Amino acid sequence: MTRSAEFTDKLQQNVDIYGTLKSELETLRAKFPQQFPKPIYVLSSVDLNMKDQWKERLIQAKYNESGERIILIPCYVGNSLWVGVIIKFSADEYIEQAEFFDQVMESGFIPNTFQEQFAEVYQGCNLRSGDCKKHTDQTLSARLTIEKLLSAVEEGGTGSGKSTTIHFLAGSKMIETKMKGLNHIAVDLASVKNPDLKNITISPFAQSETRYITPVRVNFKDVGAFSKGSVVLCDSPGFEDTSGSEVDIANGIGIVRAIKGCQSVRPVIFVSYKNIGNQFERLKSLAHMLVGLIPTIEDNRNAFSYIFTKYPPHERSTIHTSLRNVKE
């Protein structure tokens, strides 16, 4: 490595990514407190070339705080390359999400040891490669790592895509955009023809947008179908709602009452990759909840449909295997 290259690498290594990340997070929390309902801690940057520093930071994340929280850890790999790590803990210390983001295309980063040390500290948990847009300029890695971690931390407990899917099925056109710095699939308002959709709102933020069961009648002819008639799509609040357990209980009661009042119902369960839990604990929780809500569920399993959302391309082929592992 030339002296110039060494100097450039040293500059990248010494970039105060920790300070910048922490400062920008505090600014966002002050401006948009509703988007950050959980405690968030930014830990000091890790140099992965320093022996045991990564493991020490993981131990710090595990024991220095307790309860529901989000941990962000920027990690320096070398040659200007940074990766960001997010760990989400539930109130009972389960890891709901553990991902790292390498945003450089063909960066050469081999995460084997990185992941093995994580598994040593958090036994039974996997540190997965998170979905992120790739770029080719490694010198932008520090800046993009900060942006990705800020974006990742705003994804909350609901937001599985129910409202967005209803808009799509009812004929709305979707557009890719950004909202307050977050990537977002928004509705092209000019395309909305169904008046029932005025009550279906979507956003990229952690706060749940759906407060009540909201029906949307879709006439088949309006969406290009050849058959006559219509179907009613019902948007419902998500379980483990961001507004708290009392709201969660009320949501469950409301859904049961709505189902009992219908002649025919086909439940559609949305499972979001972002919120499924590192050990699929949220999926297990959902299964137990459904059994409690519908005692005869064994006789009606074929009535349920499932939509898996926000799965990165490299994880989509693992859905079936993951479900089998949960069952076992």
Side-chain angles (χ1 to χ4, degrees), residues 30-308:
K31 290 178 65 176
F32 312 110
Q34 74 281 1
Q35 297 175 27
F36 303 92
K38 299 180 181 180
I40 305 168
Y41 302 95
V42 180
L43 302 190
S44 298
S45 301
V46 171
D47 185 345
L48 295 179
N49 302 293
M50 301 292 290
K51 185 179 179 182
D52 295 331
Q53 196 174 102
W54 168 234
K55 194 171 182 178
E56 289 169 3
R57 201 71 78 247
L58 291 174
I59 293 172
Q60 179 185 350
K62 186 174 184 179
Y63 294 112
N64 280 22
E65 305 294 341
S66 61
E68 190 176 27
R69 63 195 184 279
I70 297 173
I71 303 293
L72 303 179
I73 310 175
C75 300
Y76 181 70
V77 179
N79 194 26
S80 306
L81 178 65
W82 288 82
V83 297
V85 176
I86 181 170
I87 309 173
K88 292 185 180 181
F89 291 87
S90 66
D92 50 5
E93 296 297 319
Y94 274 107
I95 291 183
E96 298 178 342
Q97 178 186 357
E99 293 181 314
F100 71 92
F101 305 105
D102 175 9
Q103 296 181 264
V104 177
M105 195 176 298
E106 298 180 357
S107 68
F109 174 52
I110 301 174
N112 295 9
T113 303
F114 188 59
Q115 293 170 308
E116 287 168 4
Q117 289 186 327
F118 183 90
E120 286 179 23
V121 177
Y122 301 99
Q123 294 184 5
C125 296
N126 298 317
L127 180 63
R128 300 187 290 186
S129 174
D131 187 30
C132 57
K133 290 186 177 180
K134 299 284 186 177
H135 61 92
T136 56
D137 189 349
Q138 197 150 305
T139 62
L140 298 177
S141 182
R143 178 68 248 167
L144 291 172
T145 296
I146 292 172
E147 292 177 358
K148 180 58 186 178
L149 288 176
L150 291 175
S151 173
V153 84
E154 292 186 276
E155 294 165 350
T158 52
S160 60
K162 300 183 300 296
S163 303
T164 303
T165 301
I166 285 180
H167 261 283
F168 176 75
L169 294 176
S172 298
K173 292 182 180 179
M174 317 306 291
I175 53 176
E176 284 191 71
T177 184
K178 280 186 176 288
M179 183 180 290
K180 295 178 180 176
L182 296 177
N183 292 322
H184 179 44
I185 303 297
V187 174
D188 180 359
L189 296 179
S191 71
V192 178
K193 308 299 182 185
N194 190 323
D196 290 347
L197 290 172
K198 68 180 184 297
N199 296 318
I200 308 295
T201 58
I202 59 177
S203 84
F205 306 130
Q207 193 71 22
S208 174
E209 291 290 329
T210 308
R211 302 258 51 86
Y212 313 101
I213 293 178
T214 307
V216 176
R217 181 174 293 277
V218 179
N219 294 307
F220 295 142
K221 62 181 179 61
D222 294 338
V223 291
F226 295 106
S227 57
K228 297 180 180 179
S230 64
V231 64
V232 176
L233 306 176
C234 290
D235 194 11
S236 68
F239 292 110
E240 297 190 4
D241 191 274
T242 51
S243 296
S245 56
E246 294 86 354
V247 173
D248 217 20
I249 293 170
N251 290 344
I253 294 172
I255 290 172
V256 170
R257 287 178 176 173
I259 291 174
K260 287 181 176 179
C262 297
Q263 290 183 336
S264 175
V265 175
R266 189 172 189 91
V268 180
I269 308 300
F270 282 74
V271 181
S272 170
Y273 177 80
K274 295 293 184 181
N275 303 316
I276 197 171
N278 191 263
Q279 295 174 292
F280 304 99
E281 59 273 1
R282 284 194 169 177
L283 184 58
K284 296 172 186 175
S285 174
L286 176 61
H288 287 299
M289 191 177 300
L290 289 173
V291 171
L293 291 174
I294 309 173
T296 59
I297 195 170
E298 186 68 27
D299 300 326
N300 297 283
R301 283 189 301 174
N302 292 336
F304 285 78
S305 297
Y306 301 86
I307 295 179
F308 295 83

